[in-house]
Amino acid sequence: MTSTLPAADACDILIVGAGITGLAHAAEAVSRGLSVHIIDRDFHAAGASVRNFGHACVTAQSGELLELARTAREGWLRHSELAGFFSVESGGLAVARSGAELGVIEELAAARPGEVELVPAHDVHHRLGGSGDPAIVGGALLHSDVRVDPREAVGRLALWLAAQPNVTFSWRTSYRGSSDGVAQTSRGTIKAAHTLVCVGHDLDQVYPELAEEFEVKRCGLQMALVEAPGGRRISQAVLSGTSMLRYPAFAETAAAAALRTEMEERSPELLSIDANLMFTQRPDGSLIVGDSHITAATMDPFLDEATSDTLLRATATLLGTGPLAVRQRWQGIYATSARQSFLIESPSATVTTVTVTSGIGMTISFGLARRTFETLGSTRRLAASSAGGA
Ligand SMILES: Cc1cc2nc3c(=O)[nH]c(=O)nc-3n(C[C@H](O)[C@H](O)[C@H](O)COP(=O)(O)OP(=O)(O)OC[C@H]3O[C@@H](n4cnc5c(N)ncnc54)[C@H](O)[C@@H]3O)c2cc1C
C-alpha cells in the first residue's frame, strides 16, 4: 500500500466510491473511451453494495425507474460476462397467500402480460424447492428480474475495471472536496475534468447541505444468511406480501389498498418492523434473508434480536419449514428519502453527486450511469476538457 497517489493523477472522470453506483459509472465512462480514476476510502467495497440481496428487481418497478432498471439489467448481464461473475436470469417469484395478494399480482399480470406470469399454487411450492406455506394460493413469475451474488459481483467488477486501459484505482483514499477541477483526497490531489461523487448514504458527510435539502437520511436493515432447509435449490428471488406494499408496480395497483388493510390485521408484526420479507439464494446454496427498515440521521449499531426473530420465523413459515439455521447476521445501511428515489445533483460545475435514495441501487445503477453521462453532455467535450488523461 503506497501512501501517495499513483502517477496517473489526472483523468477525465474521477469517481468517488467503489460501490455499485460508482462502478457502474466507471464502466459507462470506460465504454465511452474516457480515462477514469476511482477512489474509495475503504480497502475494498464494504457498503450497501455487498450487504444486499443481489436482486435486480426490474419487473416490480414502474415509470422512469422501470426504464432505468431495464437498461441496468443489460448492464448486469454484459458485465457479468466481461468480468466473470455469477448472474442468473431466473426472474423473481411473488408468492400469494391470500385473496388480497392474489388480487395484486393478477392486476399486475393483466397490465404487463409476458413480463408477469401467474402460476398456480402447486408450481409455487415446486419453485420453493418442496412444499412451502400451506396457505399459498398462487404466485407470479417476474420474468425480467436478474440475480447476482452481492458478495462477489462488485469485487469482480472492480477487478475487471482495474484491468482496463486508462483506469486507475486508489483504495483507502478519502475524498475531501473539489475546487476548480482539482479534488482533495487523503493522499493528495487529483485533477479531473469531472468528478462523480457516488458515496451512498455518506452523502450526508461529504455534502451535508445536499442531504439536508433533499431530505436524505440513513435506512438501516437487518439481514441474515441461513442454510437452505434440506439443501433446497430456489432459483428465483422470492418476494412476499410485504414486498407488494413497497415496490411501485405492485403498490400502485388498485388492489394494494385492500392488501394493506388485510396485512394490518394478519401481519402487524411485519408492518411494525417495516419488513420487506424476501430472500435470494447464493451460488453456495445459502439464503440471504431480510429485511426490516428503520430510518435515522445516525444509525444505532445495535441489532434487535426480536426483529431478526420476526423475519426468520416469517421466512420459515413461507418456506413451510421449521426454524432456520443462521450462519451470519448483519446490518445494511442505504440512503433513503421520502422525496425522490435517486438524486443527481451538481454542487459545482465540475462535480456531480449520484445517490440512490431508495433500496434499489442494484436494480438501477447501470441505468443511472447511462443517464448521468447523457446529462453530462458529449463525451468528446468531456475528453477535450480533460486535465491530460491517465
Ligand atoms: C440490506 C440491503 C438490501 C438491499 N437489497 C437490494 C436489492 O435486493 N436490490 C436492489 O436493487 N438494491 C438493494 N439494496 C440497495 C442497494 O444495495 C444500494 O442502493 C446500493 O448498493 C448503493 O450503492 P452505492 O454504491 O451508492 O453505495 P455503497 O455500496 O454504500 O458504496 C459507497 C462507497 O463510497 C465509499 N465512500 C464513502 N464516503 C467516501 C469518501 N469520503 N471518500 C471515498 N470513498 C467514500 C464507501 O467506502 C463505499 O464503498 C439493498 C441495500 C441494503 C443495505
Side-chain angles (χ1 to χ4, degrees), residues 14-331:
L14 169 64
I15 306 247
V16 182
I20 188 56
T21 309
L23 296 187
H25 281 77
E28 182 69 28
V30 165
S31 77
R32 290 168 183 255
L34 298 169
S35 63
V36 186
H37 195 144
I38 302 152
I39 65 170
D40 195 288
R41 66 173 180 204
D42 268 322
F43 194 61
H44 59 79
S49 302
V50 301
R51 301 181 192 202
N52 59 53
F53 294 97
H55 178 207
C57 187
V58 179
T59 321
Q61 306 308 319
S62 66
E64 178 185 32
L65 297 178
L66 180 60
E67 271 173 44
L68 291 170
R70 284 180 173 150
T71 307
R73 180 185 198 277
E74 300 314 311
W76 272 122
L77 296 177
R78 188 169 64 256
H79 289 94
S80 153
E81 203 164 315
L82 289 169
F85 58 80
F86 165 85
S87 70
V88 61
E89 296 179 70
S90 54
L93 172 66
V95 179
R97 289 181 282 175
S98 72
E101 290 175 353
L102 207 52
V104 170
I105 59 174
E106 281 173 352
E107 197 177 325
L108 185 59
R112 304 259 288 270
E115 205 179 359
V116 179
E117 180 189 343
L118 295 174
V119 288
H122 68 83
D123 190 73
V124 176
H125 286 290
H126 174 69
R127 288 173 191 279
L128 291 176
S131 59
D133 187 343
I136 290 170
V137 290
L141 296 176
L142 312 174
H143 285 301
S144 301
D145 291 18
V146 170
R147 282 192 303 114
V148 298
D149 180 0
R151 300 182 184 202
E152 180 208 26
V154 170
R156 285 278 176 94
L157 185 56
L159 281 176
W160 176 79
L161 281 165
Q164 304 311 302
N166 293 328
V167 174
T168 307
F169 266 90
S170 296
W171 297 100
R172 278 191 177 164
T173 304
S174 284
Y175 177 71
R176 292 177 175 164
S178 295
S179 127
D180 297 330
V182 178
Q184 304 292 332
T185 83
S186 51
R187 291 180 194 277
T189 58
I190 301 173
K191 276 172 108 181
H194 206 90
T195 296
L196 294 172
V197 178
C198 307
V199 293
H201 56 273
D202 285 313
L203 181 74
D204 60 6
Q205 306 210 342
V206 179
Y207 287 104
E209 63 290 351
L210 276 183
E212 274 162 30
E213 182 182 348
F214 291 93
E215 296 168 30
V216 180
K217 295 192 175 151
R218 293 169 175 236
C219 182
L221 300 85
Q222 289 194 204
M223 303 287 287
L225 189 72
V226 305
E227 306 287 349
R232 295 184 194 195
R233 299 305 301 189
I234 302 169
S235 185
Q236 281 88 26
V238 177
L239 313 180
S240 70
T242 49
S243 317
M244 299 178 203
L245 298 180
R246 300 185 71 83
Y247 292 119
F250 298 114
E252 288 163 6
T253 60
L259 174 59
R260 175 161 290 281
T261 307
E262 183 198 88
M263 291 204 74
E264 279 164 5
E265 281 182 18
R266 183 166 54 102
S267 307
E269 75 290 358
L270 289 177
L271 295 189
S272 73
I273 58 168
D274 200 5
N276 176 14
L277 187 73
M278 58 172 290
F279 59 84
T280 54
Q281 189 161 48
R282 298 184 62 219
D284 71 357
S286 57
L287 300 177
I288 301 175
V289 170
D291 55 21
S292 57
H293 298 81
I294 190 161
T295 302
T298 293
M299 196 55 60
D300 279 340
F302 314 110
L303 295 183
D304 183 0
E305 198 56 23
T307 297
S308 285
D309 270 359
T310 300
L311 290 170
L312 291 167
R313 258 187 284 112
T315 305
T317 302
L318 179 56
L319 283 164
T321 186
L324 297 164
V326 178
R327 277 199 213 167
Q328 298 174 339
R329 296 175 207 264
W330 66 96
Q331 181 186 54

Side-chain angles (χ1 to χ4, degrees), residues 313-365:
R313 258 187 284 112
T315 305
T317 302
L318 179 56
L319 283 164
T321 186
L324 297 164
V326 178
R327 277 199 213 167
Q328 298 174 339
R329 296 175 207 264
W330 66 96
Q331 181 186 54
I333 302 176
Y334 63 65
T336 189
S337 169
R339 282 184 55 169
Q340 66 283 309
S341 299
F342 61 86
L343 181 66
I344 302 180
E345 277 297 307
S346 291
S348 73
T350 57
V351 177
T352 301
T353 64
V354 185
T355 315
V356 181
T357 52
S358 56
I360 54 169
M362 296 294 274
T363 305
I364 64 169
S365 282

